[in-house]
């Protein structure tokens, strides 16, 4: 007899089932096989009420097979093979995707928060296929009208995040073939009046004067914890970011082992050894010093090694080597190494979190009375400085930054203040 839900049909009076040890699994005394029942509820956004339904699977030959069938029915709250996936179900699918892609703890936490707001008016058992344009408009009308406990309403930025979350989940469900069509694909998205200031390109550039002001703050002040002046470490980190353009996650993953001496003989052969941080290093004693970038520290604290070769996801995934300036950068790292009691070479140089780094840099900016900068602004500055140098090719910028050329041109090619002044002077003669 074929194993499907239509293969055995009799009225309840003709079927005798004994309850197995597992809830939802029954032994059919007529067929001598197992039947599985899954009870679930479906939220109807049109009526605002739940409908209670059940799904059956029949004629399963063993208890193990019945357990698997029941688990399949329960997955995602409602079986997805019938295009009945719910908000709760697609979140579980997204969560697995997020964990596989090593998304940050903050990304997962933010999505959970946005879903809680959605659940206020669309319960988690709402089917995605029922979230039509009319339901979407009604949801945001209610969210805009909702008065919060502390007074006021949801901010436009919050509503924008909720909107993005809903579209993100819908798009994922459609891509995974969990719904036949995306009901929001052609919906006019809500227009949000986000009052965040628009950042000018020049705001992302750490000028030379600002850079030395930040560095000077850490040199002139002390922040001692457990006998160690932490500001020496922040001074070294600011210089490292300015002269390497690394992302903050890459900066926080670098170990002393990753800073290496490179010797090139007369035949062009490269010999790489660990830089041993000798005292009183004379200029010219080493051919060059490079830092190896091959890993990143995620906001969760996990250190992720970069894959090789790189086939996709170039961002945060590209190994590279960046030359280090001996007297502008390396001597400050050595000073920090000595301050920490010369730890093991496998130790992370900058042993704090991205939040610590951001807070300290913004504090230095505030104390020196300059514009506040983010850690990523140093990357914008590094790439823009390279782009402004006529001796550096775009291929070199790509190799040193670990980004693709199209991204470099679209995102990081800012006009430096010096170039802007030259342009303004040039136009005086037009």
């Amino acid at each position: 007899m074929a194993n499907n839900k239509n293969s055995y049909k009799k009225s309840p009076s003709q079927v005798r089932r004994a309850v197995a040890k597992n809830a939802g699994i029954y032994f059919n005394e007529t067929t001598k096989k197992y039947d599985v029942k899954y009870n679930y509820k479906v939220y109807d956004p049109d009526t605002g009420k739940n409908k209670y339904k059940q799904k059956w699977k029949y004629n399963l030959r063993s208890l193990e097979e019945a357990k698997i069938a029941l688990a399949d029915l329960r997955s995602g709250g409602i079986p997805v093979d019938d295009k009945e996936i719910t908000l709760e179900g697609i979140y579980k699918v997204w969560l697995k995707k997020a964990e596989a892609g090593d998304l940050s703890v903050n990304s997962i936490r933010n999505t959970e928060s946005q879903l809680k707001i959605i659940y206020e008016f669309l319960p988690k058992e709402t089917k995605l296929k029922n979230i039509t344009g009319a339901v979407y408009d009604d949801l945001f009308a209610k969210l805009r009208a909702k008065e919060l406990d502390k007074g006021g309403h949801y901010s436009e930025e919050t509503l924008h995040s909720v909107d993005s979350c809903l579209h993100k989940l819908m798009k994922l469900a459609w891509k995974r073939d969990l719904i036949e069509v995306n009901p929001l694909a052609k919906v006019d998205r809500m227009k949000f009046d986000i009052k965040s200031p628009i950042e000018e390109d020049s705001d992302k550039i750490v000028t030379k004067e600002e850079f030395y002001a930040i560095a000077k703050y850490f040199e002139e002040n002390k922040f001692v914890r457990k006998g160690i002046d932490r500001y020496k470490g922040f001074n070294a980190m600011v210089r490292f970011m300015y002269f390497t353009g690394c992302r903050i996650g890459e900066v926080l993953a670098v170990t002393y082992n990753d800073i290496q001496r490179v010797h090139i003989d007369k035949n062009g052969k490269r010999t790489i050894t660990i830089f041993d941080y000798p005292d009183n290093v004379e200029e010219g004693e080493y051919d060059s010093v490079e830092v190896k970038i091959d890993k990143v520290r995620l906001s969760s604290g996990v250190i992720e090694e970069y894959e090789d070769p790189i086939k996709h996801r170039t961002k945060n995934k590209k190994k590279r080597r960046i030359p280090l300036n001996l007297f502008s950068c390396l001597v400050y790292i050595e000073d920090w190494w000595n301050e920490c009691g010369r730890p093991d070479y496998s130790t992370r140089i900058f042993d704090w979190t991205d939040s610590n780094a951001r807070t300290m840099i913004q504090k230095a900016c505030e104390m020196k009375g300059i514009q506040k900068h983010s850690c990523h602004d140093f990357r914008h500055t590094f790439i823009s400085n390279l782009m402004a140098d006529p001796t550096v090719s775009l291929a070199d910028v790509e190799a040193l930054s670990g980004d693709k050329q199209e991204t470099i041109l679209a995102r990081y090619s800012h006009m430096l203040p010096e170039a802007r002044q030259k342009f303004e002077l040039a136009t005086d003669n037009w």
Side-chain angles (χ1 to χ4, degrees), residues 47-249:
T47 63
K49 296 181 179 180
N50 289 317
K51 294 180 180 179
Y52 294 87
K53 298 185 177 183
Q54 57 183 228
K55 286 276 186 181
W56 282 88
K57 281 194 175 181
Y58 301 93
N59 298 329
L60 301 160
R61 289 168 291 186
S62 66
L63 184 58
E64 283 303 312
E65 191 176 340
K67 289 180 181 178
I68 293 172
L70 183 59
D72 179 59
L73 287 174
R74 287 174 173 167
S75 63
I78 292 178
V80 298
D81 54 339
D82 289 341
K83 314 297 183 186
E84 302 289 335
I85 192 164
T86 63
L87 276 170
E88 182 182 32
I90 192 56
Y91 170 66
K92 291 177 181 178
V93 174
W94 179 87
L95 191 58
K96 289 181 180 179
K97 179 176 179 287
E99 291 169 348
D102 280 328
L103 288 189
S104 70
V105 174
N106 286 339
S107 295
I108 294 173
R109 187 184 299 122
N110 289 341
T111 299
E112 288 177 347
S113 299
Q114 291 147 14
L115 273 173
K116 284 181 181 178
I117 295 174
I118 292 173
Y119 290 160
E120 292 180 38
F121 297 104
L122 283 181
K124 60 181 66 177
E125 58 268 16
T126 304
K127 295 181 186 179
L128 295 191
K129 69 180 185 181
N130 289 339
I131 304 177
T132 61
V135 173
Y136 168 82
D137 292 339
D138 184 60
L139 167 66
F140 280 92
K142 289 176 179 177
L143 289 176
R144 282 184 183 280
K146 180 179 172 62
E147 294 203 21
L148 305 178
D149 294 337
K150 296 180 180 180
H153 302 79
Y154 283 118
S155 70
E156 294 297 296
E157 289 176 290
T158 298
L159 294 177
H160 179 270
S161 298
V162 171
D163 176 69
S164 298
C165 175
L166 186 56
H167 276 84
K168 170 181 70 179
L169 296 179
M170 282 289 200
K171 189 174 181 180
L172 176 63
W174 180 75
K175 280 190 171 182
R176 294 286 180 90
D177 196 31
L178 304 179
I179 51 178
E180 292 181 357
V181 295
N182 181 352
L184 296 187
K186 296 183 178 180
V187 151
D188 290 330
R189 296 188 67 170
M190 303 294 292
K191 305 300 181 185
F192 297 93
D193 181 22
I194 298 175
K195 295 179 176 59
S196 300
I198 298 174
E199 190 176 33
E200 297 287 342
D201 279 353
S202 58
D203 292 341
K204 298 179 182 179
I205 296 296
V206 182
T207 66
K208 188 181 296 184
E209 293 75 19
E210 288 174 332
F211 162 64
Y212 283 111
I214 294 170
K216 192 173 183 180
Y217 171 78
F218 291 124
E219 289 176 6
E220 293 176 338
N221 297 279
K222 286 190 174 184
F223 179 59
V224 180
R225 287 291 181 272
K226 297 182 179 180
I228 297 174
D229 181 6
R230 307 291 284 180
Y231 275 0
K232 286 189 176 181
F234 284 111
N235 187 18
M237 184 193 71
V238 165
R239 292 174 176 275
F240 184 87
M241 292 194 299
Y242 187 79
F243 289 106
T244 66
C246 290
R247 302 175 180 91
I248 186 59

Side-chain angles (χ1 to χ4, degrees), residues 357-367 370 372-374:
R358 180 178 63 253
T359 299
M360 284 301 180
I361 288 173
Q362 293 190 348
K363 179 181 179 181
C365 292
E366 183 178 354
M367 297 303 292
I370 61 176
K372 286 188 178 181
H373 284 289
S374 69

Side-chain angles (χ1 to χ4, degrees), residues 391-402:
T391 66
V392 180
S393 70
L394 186 54
D396 292 332
V397 180
E398 183 178 32
L400 291 170
S401 67

Side-chain angles (χ1 to χ4, degrees), residues 270-287:
R270 288 166 58 96
T271 303
I272 298 175
T273 56
I274 296 174
F275 186 73
D276 53 5
Y277 302 95
D279 293 325
N280 303 317
V281 176
E282 300 253 344
E283 188 171 12
E285 186 173 341
Y286 290 95
D287 294 295

Side-chain angles (χ1 to χ4, degrees), residues 343-381:
D344 186 86
Y345 277 28
S346 61
T347 304
R348 285 196 300 133
I349 300 177
F350 311 112
D351 59 342
W352 37 75
T353 67
D354 50 355
S355 177
N356 297 146
R358 180 178 63 253
T359 299
M360 284 301 180
I361 288 173
Q362 293 190 348
K363 179 181 179 181
C365 292
E366 183 178 354
M367 297 303 292
K368 298 302 286 187
I370 61 176
Q371 174 193 315
K372 286 188 178 181
H373 284 289
S374 69
C375 297
H376 204 67
D377 287 352
F378 287 87
R379 178 169 174 80
H380 281 270
T381 304

